[in-house]
């Protein structure tokens, strides 16, 4: 659908009472910004994952557990233990660790703390 058609559809929904004034303004702004939401309006879990980085200083294999430790406040050895237990009992701990190792970017040099 083209942008003009989307805005027309939003206007029709607003006129019909399906969207409040605030919802209409927010949806229209989202359309005009290319569908990107501002960082402050993203859910907290999405913001948390966006800040997640693999650690350079606290790593054994890929730094995943060290990065999870820095962002969550839980000790890295607990994360390592959880991945090992899930890996041994259910098998998906290893798969999850490898996916995080591939998908999560590494911490920048000189950025040793998130706070």
């Amino acid at each position: 659908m083209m942008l003009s058609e989307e805005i027309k559809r939003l206007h029709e929904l607003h006129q019909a009472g399906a969207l409040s004034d605030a919802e209409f303004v927010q949806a229209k702004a989202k359309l005009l910004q290319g569908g990107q939401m501002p960082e402050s309006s993203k859910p907290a879990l999405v913001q948390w994952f966006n800040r997640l980085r693999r650690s350079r200083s606290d790593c054994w294999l890929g730094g995943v557990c060290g990065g999870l430790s820095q962002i969550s406040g839980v000790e890295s050895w607990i994360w390592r233990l959880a991945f090992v237990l899930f890996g041994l009992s259910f098998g998906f701990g290893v798969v999850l660790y490898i996916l995080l190792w591939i998908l999560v970017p590494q911490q920048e040099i000189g950025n040793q703390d998130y706070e």
Side-chain angles (χ1 to χ4, degrees):
M1 228 184 240
M2 293 181 57
L3 181 62
S4 60
E5 294 172 349
E6 288 288 330
I7 292 175
K8 182 180 177 184
R9 187 178 61 85
L10 284 175
H11 181 69
E12 290 170 356
L13 288 171
H14 182 247
Q15 292 296 323
L19 292 175
S20 68
D21 293 336
E23 291 171 332
F24 173 71
V25 169
Q26 183 180 15
K28 185 177 173 183
K30 182 179 174 185
L31 276 175
L32 293 175
Q33 292 175 358
Q36 297 178 352
M37 294 173 54
E39 187 69 27
S40 61
S41 66
K42 292 181 181 177
L45 185 62
V46 172
Q47 292 178 14
W48 187 81
F49 275 115
N50 286 340
R51 289 187 357 210
L52 181 60
R53 299 287 182 265
R54 291 184 292 124
S55 176
R56 288 183 179 268
S57 60
D58 184 12
C59 64
W60 283 9
L61 290 176
V64 173
C65 294
L68 287 169
S69 171
Q70 288 176 346
I71 200 167
S72 69
V74 177
E75 294 289 329
S76 59
W77 68 268
I78 295 174
W79 285 108
R80 289 181 183 106
L81 181 65
F83 277 110
V84 168
L85 290 177
F86 282 124
L88 293 176
S89 60
F90 303 114
F92 73 88
V94 175
V95 173
L96 180 62
Y97 188 90
I98 291 171
L99 284 174
L100 287 172
W101 192 353
I102 293 169
L103 298 175
V104 173
Q106 194 166 27
Q107 185 180 28
E108 296 151 7
I109 296 174
N111 186 11
Q112 297 299 323
D113 198 48
Y114 288 103
E115 306 302 335

